[in-house]
Amino acid sequence: MASNMRGLTQFIADIRGARVRELEEKRINKEMANIRKRFKDGNLDGYQKKKYVAKVIFTYILGYKVDVGHMEAVNLISSPKYSEKQIGYLAVTLLMHENSDFLRLVVNSIRKDLNDNNEISNCLALHAIANVGGQEMAEALAEDVHRLLISPTSPNFVRKKRHVIPAAEWALRIVAIMDDTDLGVVICVTSLVMALAQDHLDAYAVCYQRAVDRLNRLVVEHEFAATYAYYKVPSPWLQVKLLRLLQYYPPTDDPTLQKIMHEVLNTIMNNCAEPSRNVQHNNAQHAVLFEAISLAIHLDTNSPLVTTAAVLLARFISSKETNVRYLGLDTMSHLAARTENLGAIKKHQGTIILSLRDKDISVRRRALDLLYSMCDTDNSELIVGELLRYLKIADYGLREEMKYASTYKWYVDTILELLSAAGDHVGEEVWYRVVQIVTNTEDLQPYAAKVVFEYLKSPSSHESLVKVGGYILGEYGHLIANEAGYSPLDQFTVLHSKSQFCAAPTRALLLSTYIKWVNVFPEIKPQLLNVFERYRHVLDVELQQRACEFYALASRSDDDDLLQNVCEEIPPFPPRESALLGRLNRQRGDSDDKRNRSATLERDASRKMSMLRKPTIAEPNGNSTAASQNADDIASSLIGLDISASPVNVQSSTLLSDLSTQSSSAQTLAEKGIPRLAAGPNVERWFDKLLYSTDGVLYEDVQIQIGIKSRYHGHLGQLAIYMGNKVSAPLTSFTATLHVDEPDALSVSFAKIAPNVIAPRTQMQQLLHVECKKPFKHPPILSVSFLAGAHQTIAVRLPIVITKFLEHVKLGQADFFERWRLIGGPPREAQSVFPITLDDAGHVDVVKHRQIVSGFSFNVLEDIDPNPSNLVGAGILHMSTDGKVGCLMRLEPNREAKLCRITVRSTSEDVASTVQKLLQKPLGADPS
């Protein structure tokens, strides 16, 4: 750039040749005056504008304020020449901020460059939006940016640059790009998803499945271009990002994803079993391995993977490379803080203790963290003895973390000495701890006040020591004020003499000390008022506000109780954790990286239980008859029930539409990361029919068709979902996800991850495993998203309801009515009256009623009710957690009134109500 503009080159040379700052400022002022004159005169061509704006940019980079060139920079952006456009964008991103009025003038120019066919113009515009774009620019250009990023004609070079977006609303569209064939694009979008997912976890939950699938393709299936293999390691940067992204979310309960992740992590660890002689190859493998170990710890500390990880970490903490030792100790410390079984770590206790003497202080810190985390009743005596020996040679920065105080006086003496001798190496938590101990120990307060006063009398005192002195003397200085050498004036003189060397926060603390003294030391009130008066006019807002408030408070009359009430002694602090534990927790949880880490020993009980393999489904029940050998067991499950309240007639109710509306509103679904449910008469009709049939169409439009085939046996079920591409172009970035409202009651999972592409006019099958654990009310939601020109998202309810897990039971007339009476009325009875439609001959459509009742898995019992139009059914609901629940049903249509009464009784009131609503809808008359 400079070689093409001689004037700029000479200007830079003159600045560099200036021997003193005055000559530099003189040359810059001369040049700025010339530029102002040139801009004012006008009639400058593009080259001249570019040259002068470049000089303005250079001046700004040197740290000088510039107030010219803004409008010229805006004009340069509209130039057709790349060199001029580049300088214009550079000036805009450097000289302007997101609220600058000039930015409003460049929005149209940026939009034009976004829509340009030149990829260089696209990238310049994207960079400008990323650097200075605010809310206003985002609202104006968001759609243009998104259109450019998802366009199949956009070069990968452009698609890597993604910026201003409405995060939650575009979650599915952004995550879809993680399936791009170019790994460079995937790396960039994964970085974006990592940043957005930390603040919108639910909205970006679909990225979990994408990350697992991409890791499987990279690590297990070796699906990547050769250009993305770094020393034979497939895209280590992408692997690290994906492994870290998975740690943002709680461990999944999906057995398919669990199996794939186990295979991925096991492969990564096996690849690192033998070290390589190539340093770059080792570095890449180690980067991936440490992140994989962190993910394994996050998923389950009791898994065999963690045991393998502990063996690998033992090798790393003995490595000759400092960085590897550091990472090994850090990761092992994370493992020790999470696991309850420290046996694997204790095997290497000697190596860890030797790390306390490492030449690198960061390694020594990690070793100290690890020893703290692994210390328990078995090895505490050995570790504490070793730490006490190491205390004599430890760094000042480590000593406070290792204190073993025999008395509080000794602790205060030692820490004050530490602050006095090496205050720069001691964290803020040190003096916080001293303050807490002094405040909570009444006998220690006069002693601490005297000791800190003596330390403050030294010519130089560290600022942390001044803070301790300000607090302790403000609270407890009156306890020693009557002793020689500790008078109020002496305390004020010593403490105030240090204030001029302190930062604003420390001086603010000293002002609080002075207002305390106004209350207890009226003899020095004039001096204190004088200090408040002077600080009322300082530039610092916090100091000025405190001084004004304290001056007003101190100026009140002596008989006013307000000052005394405000300046009461600080009450004792609650119990506080050690500084080391606090620092460990901050390292794990308070960083910008919000991975789901916790330094607690308790683990979720469900994560500790071994995952039981689901039994294979034998034969579907076919909604027909139960096995004869089980008939007696099924029937007996209805006997021996407690009799509840006497039956009460329930008034007829209007048709409830729980299943059509779902309990969640569209807004609630969006907050959970679930798109709006597909709506329409056909969608409702298809879903309602599948509630009492085993196969059929669930959804269809011009692009895709979704069909269902199902079978159930006991509390288990299998669904085959057929997804057909109806168009002549492939459906790319295809993702299928499940959302279950009641995961404790219903388990639904894919047998495998869906392929991310459906070829033109082909069909793909996905198998679902279903398990009913408890009664549930809401069917799960299937969400599919794909790219077909534009991004499409379809969410439909799956026809998985409580009646799918019913099995037939055979009962005679006497048995049926005996059990009907034993179950009793409400709340174990649900009853309603609703309108029905007659057949073409004007009779009750018994065939239709029988088909629907049988389709809902009830066994229609013959010769139970003397009225041939009435139907009686019985079934047993199977659940893996709550066991078996009996369910009886009576349907009583009235031809003359065109009404029907349905009564459902069950040993579970929730089951009775849910089954009654399910049966009523298809039996009732069409509202239209």
Side-chain angles (χ1 to χ4, degrees):
M1 180 180 68
S3 61
N4 296 328
M5 293 182 282
R6 287 175 294 177
L8 176 62
T9 304
Q10 185 60 46
F11 176 58
I12 294 174
D14 293 344
I15 296 300
R16 288 178 174 175
R19 291 172 295 178
V20 294
R21 185 172 179 82
E22 288 75 14
L23 292 177
E24 179 182 298
E25 291 179 352
K26 182 178 179 181
R27 179 69 181 87
I28 287 176
N29 290 335
K30 178 182 177 181
E31 191 64 39
M32 289 297 104
N34 179 56
I35 292 174
R36 287 190 189 91
K37 183 176 181 301
R38 293 285 187 173
F39 284 164
K40 185 176 181 182
D41 293 342
N43 298 323
L44 299 176
D45 59 22
Y47 170 80
Q48 292 173 317
K49 287 182 181 178
K50 176 181 69 172
K51 179 179 66 176
Y52 290 131
V53 171
K55 291 181 178 180
V56 171
I57 293 173
F58 183 73
T59 303
Y60 176 80
I61 292 174
L62 290 177
Y64 293 91
K65 291 184 178 180
V66 295
D67 55 1
V68 295
H70 296 77
M71 185 55 70
E72 286 69 22
V74 172
N75 294 334
L76 284 174
I77 289 179
S78 303
S79 172
K81 294 184 179 180
Y82 168 72
S83 61
E84 296 173 7
K85 186 185 291 289
Q86 181 192 35
I87 293 295
Y89 272 117
L90 182 60
V92 166
T93 56
L94 286 175
L95 304 179
M96 301 180 190
H97 55 82
E98 63 181 41
N99 297 320
S100 174
D101 293 334
F102 287 101
L103 279 185
R104 296 186 177 92
L105 304 176
V106 301
V107 170
N108 288 330
S109 297
I110 293 177
R111 181 181 286 112
K112 181 180 177 182
D113 287 335
L114 288 175
N115 297 324
D116 199 312
N117 292 327
N118 188 331
E119 65 181 42
I120 301 298
S121 298
N122 298 158
C123 292
L124 287 173
L126 287 171
H127 277 298
I129 296 171
N131 283 301
V132 295
Q135 181 177 353
E136 186 175 345
M137 185 176 286
E139 292 172 352
L141 299 174
E143 289 298 329
D144 299 280
V145 173
H146 178 256
R147 184 168 57 251
L148 181 66
L149 293 176
I150 67 170
S151 172
T153 61
S154 294
N156 291 333
F157 177 66
V158 175
R159 297 172 69 201
K160 292 178 186 179
K161 306 176 186 302
R162 38 185 46 84
H163 302 284
V164 182
I165 51 172
E169 292 84 349
W170 283 12
L172 291 175
R173 288 180 277 183
I174 293 168
V175 173
I177 307 174
M178 291 177 69
D179 280 328
D180 197 275
T181 55
D182 188 283
L183 289 186
V185 175
V186 178
I187 291 172
C188 292
V189 76
T190 303
S191 299
L192 176 66
V193 171
M194 288 176 66
L196 298 176
Q198 294 186 60
D199 297 319
H200 307 278
L201 275 179
D202 290 337
Y204 284 84
V206 68
C207 74
Y208 197 98
Q209 178 180 317
R210 303 261 187 174
V212 173
D213 184 42
R214 177 63 74 172
L215 280 170
N216 183 59
R217 286 151 59 189
L218 278 175
V219 178
V220 180
E221 299 176 0
H222 301 286
E223 185 183 318
F224 58 92
T227 52
Y228 285 98
Y230 179 79
Y231 290 91
K232 299 182 181 180
V233 180
S235 191
W237 299 276
L238 178 57
Q239 287 191 55
V240 168
K241 291 177 185 292
L242 293 173
L243 290 167
R244 185 167 297 179
L245 177 61
L246 293 176
Q247 295 174 61
Y248 293 159
Y249 289 90
T252 179
D253 290 324
D254 189 321
T256 303
L257 295 181
Q258 287 176 345
K259 181 180 178 182
I260 294 174
M261 280 194 290
H262 185 277
E263 186 177 5
V264 167
L265 295 175
N266 191 52
T267 304
I268 292 173
M269 293 181 187
N270 289 338
N271 291 340
C272 298
E274 294 297 330
S276 170
R277 294 183 178 181
N278 189 295
V279 176
Q280 287 83 359
H281 176 79
N282 278 339
N283 289 340
Q285 276 199 331
H286 290 163
V288 176
L289 175 63
F290 283 119
E291 209 60 58
I293 292 174
S294 293
L295 177 59
I297 296 170
H298 170 71
L299 294 176
D300 185 3
T301 56
N302 295 320
S303 71
L305 286 173
V306 176
T307 305
T308 305
V311 175
L312 291 172
L313 290 174
R315 191 181 80 202
F316 293 137
I317 63 175
S318 304
S319 172
K320 295 180 180 180
E321 297 182 33
T322 302
N323 289 338
V324 176
R325 290 199 306 276
Y326 174 90
L327 291 172
L329 289 167
D330 184 60
T331 308
M332 193 174 279
S333 176
H334 175 39
L335 171 59
R338 294 289 296 268
T339 186
E340 294 179 358
N341 184 11
L342 296 169
I345 300 175
K346 289 179 180 178
K347 293 178 182 179
H348 315 288
Q349 187 168 285
T351 306
I352 298 167
I353 290 175
L354 286 177
S355 299
L356 286 174
R357 289 162 175 79
D358 195 279
K359 61 183 180 180
D360 191 292
I361 187 173
S362 59
V363 174
R364 297 196 295 270
R365 283 187 178 275
R366 294 289 79 76
L368 182 60
D369 292 348
L370 177 52
L371 285 171
Y372 184 92
S373 298
M374 64 184 285
C375 186
D376 61 13
T377 55
D378 296 331
N379 60 7
S380 59
E381 186 174 341
L382 174 62
I383 290 180
V384 170
E386 197 63 42
L387 292 180
L388 288 174
R389 284 191 291 273
Y390 178 61
L391 178 62
K392 300 174 183 178
I393 59 172
D395 308 83
Y396 278 113
L398 294 176
R399 288 191 177 184
E400 193 279 335
E401 300 170 358
M402 300 164 52
K403 290 305 175 189
Y404 183 78
S406 56
T407 66
Y408 282 135
K409 284 187 178 182
W410 178 86
Y411 183 87
V412 171
D413 288 339
T414 306
I415 297 303
L416 291 179
E417 181 180 352
L418 184 65
L419 289 172
S420 178
D424 291 334
H425 303 285
V426 182
E428 291 281 290
E429 65 271 9
V430 177
W431 77 268
Y432 296 161
R433 181 63 169 166
V434 174
V435 164
Q436 183 203 22
I437 288 176
V438 173
T439 303
N440 291 10
T441 312
E442 187 175 350
D443 296 341
L444 188 63
Q445 292 163 1
Y447 176 80
K450 287 183 181 181
V451 173
V452 77
F453 179 81
E454 295 299 331
Y455 272 103
L456 289 174
K457 288 167 67 175
S458 61
S460 61
S461 301
H462 190 269
E463 192 162 340
S464 293
L465 194 60
V466 177
K467 293 177 182 177
V468 175
Y471 180 90
I472 292 179
L473 292 178
E475 291 292 331
Y476 313 113
H478 64 280
L479 299 177
I480 61 172
N482 295 327
E483 300 184 27
Y486 302 108
S487 67
L489 185 58
D490 292 335
Q491 293 185 38
F492 171 74
T493 304
V494 169
L495 191 59
H496 190 59
S497 65
K498 308 296 182 183
S499 63
Q500 57 183 319
F501 306 109
C502 298
T506 304
R507 284 185 281 164
L509 185 148
L510 294 181
L511 288 179
S512 299
T513 300
Y514 298 159
I515 194 62
K516 293 264 187 177
W517 281 348
V518 169
N519 183 43
V520 296
F521 298 150
E523 58 267 37
I524 59 170
K525 183 175 180 179
Q527 291 92 324
L528 299 173
L529 285 172
N530 184 42
V531 174
F532 294 147
E533 175 61 33
R534 283 191 285 111
Y535 274 94
R536 289 170 66 188
H537 307 290
V538 297
L539 295 178
D540 188 278
V541 177
E542 172 68 18
L543 291 175
Q544 186 185 90
Q545 182 176 351
R546 287 199 185 208
C548 290
E549 293 174 355
F550 291 162
Y551 184 86
L553 196 60
S555 300
R556 300 175 71 90
S557 60
D558 295 337
D559 56 351
D560 196 330
D561 294 335
L562 179 61
L563 179 62
Q564 184 176 354
N565 294 333
V566 170
C567 297
E568 287 183 352
E569 284 190 12
I570 295 292
F573 289 94
R576 176 184 179 275
E577 67 181 8
S578 74
L580 177 58
L581 186 57
R583 184 162 65 81
L584 278 171
N585 287 334
R586 286 197 299 275
Q587 287 176 350
R588 303 301 182 195
D590 293 346
S591 63
D592 292 336
D593 180 9
K594 299 178 182 177
R595 279 176 284 179
N596 197 334
R597 288 183 171 186
S598 173
T600 59
L601 295 180
E602 288 79 17
R603 295 284 285 162
D604 188 352
S606 63
R607 307 304 312 157
K608 292 180 177 178
M609 296 178 64
S610 59
M611 299 298 294
L612 298 177
R613 179 175 297 179
K614 296 182 179 180
T616 305
I617 296 179
E619 294 295 332
N621 62 6
N623 297 332
S624 58
T625 60
S628 59
Q629 61 267 30
N630 294 332
D632 294 338
D633 294 337
I634 295 173
S636 62
S637 65
L638 290 171
I639 303 176
L641 303 172
D642 294 333
I643 299 176
S644 58
S646 57
V648 178
N649 290 332
V650 181
Q651 296 181 355
S652 62
S653 60
T654 58
L655 182 62
L656 300 178
S657 56
D658 285 2
L659 294 172
S660 62
T661 60
Q662 287 288 289
S663 61
S664 304
S665 64
Q667 180 180 0
T668 305
L669 292 175
E671 291 172 354
K672 295 179 180 179
I674 306 173
R676 185 185 298 272
L677 291 174
N682 286 337
V683 177
E684 286 295 316
R685 178 169 54 83
W686 291 330
F687 174 76
D688 291 341
K689 185 175 181 181
L690 283 169
L691 293 180
Y692 56 90
S693 57
T694 58
D695 57 83
V697 174
L698 180 64
Y699 177 85
E700 186 173 10
D701 59 22
V702 296
Q703 293 177 318
I704 191 172
Q705 182 189 64
I706 303 175
I708 296 286
K709 284 187 177 181
S710 62
R711 61 178 185 173
Y712 294 86
H713 181 74
H715 63 276
L716 299 175
Q718 282 184 342
L719 265 76
I721 303 180
Y722 299 89
M723 305 181 196
N725 180 1
K726 297 173 62 178
V727 296
S728 57
L731 304 182
T732 59
S733 295
F734 189 89
T735 301
T737 54
L738 296 168
H739 308 274
V740 182
D741 273 356
E742 303 158 278
D744 293 337
L746 179 68
S747 171
V748 185
S749 61
F750 285 113
K752 62 179 181 178
I753 298 178
N756 61 348
V757 176
I758 303 181
R761 304 193 185 283
T762 59
Q763 191 179 72
M764 173 193 70
Q765 176 183 323
Q766 278 292 97
L767 191 65
L768 261 68
H769 295 301
V770 186
E771 180 183 4
C772 178
K773 303 175 183 177
K774 299 177 182 179
F776 63 94
K777 296 181 179 179
H778 307 299
I781 295 174
L782 170 69
S783 172
V784 296
S785 62
F786 53 88
L787 287 176
H791 187 269
Q792 307 288 331
T793 303
I794 300 166
V796 290
R797 291 162 296 151
L798 289 174
I800 301 175
V801 291
I802 195 77
T803 54
K804 296 290 185 180
F805 304 95
L806 284 173
E807 283 195 348
H808 293 179
V809 58
K810 292 181 179 180
L811 292 174
Q813 185 178 37
D815 290 337
F816 176 86
F817 283 108
E818 179 185 355
R819 285 156 179 74
W820 183 269
R821 179 182 57 80
L822 285 173
I823 295 175
R828 294 178 176 176
E829 176 186 274
Q831 186 181 88
S832 65
V833 177
F834 55 93
I836 56 173
T837 352
L838 304 179
D839 61 13
D840 295 337
H843 301 293
V844 174
D845 197 340
V846 179
V847 175
K848 172 188 172 183
H849 291 178
R850 179 182 292 271
Q851 179 186 0
I852 292 174
V853 172
S854 178
F856 276 105
S857 304
F858 277 96
N859 185 23
V860 178
L861 304 177
E862 305 292 344
D863 303 324
I864 300 295
D865 196 303
N867 188 336
S869 297
N870 294 352
L871 292 180
V872 175
I876 293 291
L877 174 63
H878 290 262
M879 297 173 286
S880 60
T881 302
D882 284 7
K884 299 178 181 180
V885 171
C887 194
L888 304 176
M889 183 276 309
R890 293 185 69 184
L891 190 69
E892 303 167 280
N894 186 309
R895 174 188 171 190
E896 288 73 18
K898 294 184 180 181
L899 294 175
C900 183
R901 181 172 67 187
I902 182 172
T903 307
V904 178
R905 290 186 179 183
S906 172
T907 53
S908 167
E909 55 190 80
D910 291 334
V911 171
S913 173
T914 304
V915 171
Q916 176 260 317
K917 293 173 184 176
L918 285 168
L919 283 167
Q920 178 179 322
K921 188 174 183 181
L923 290 170
D926 189 344
S928 61

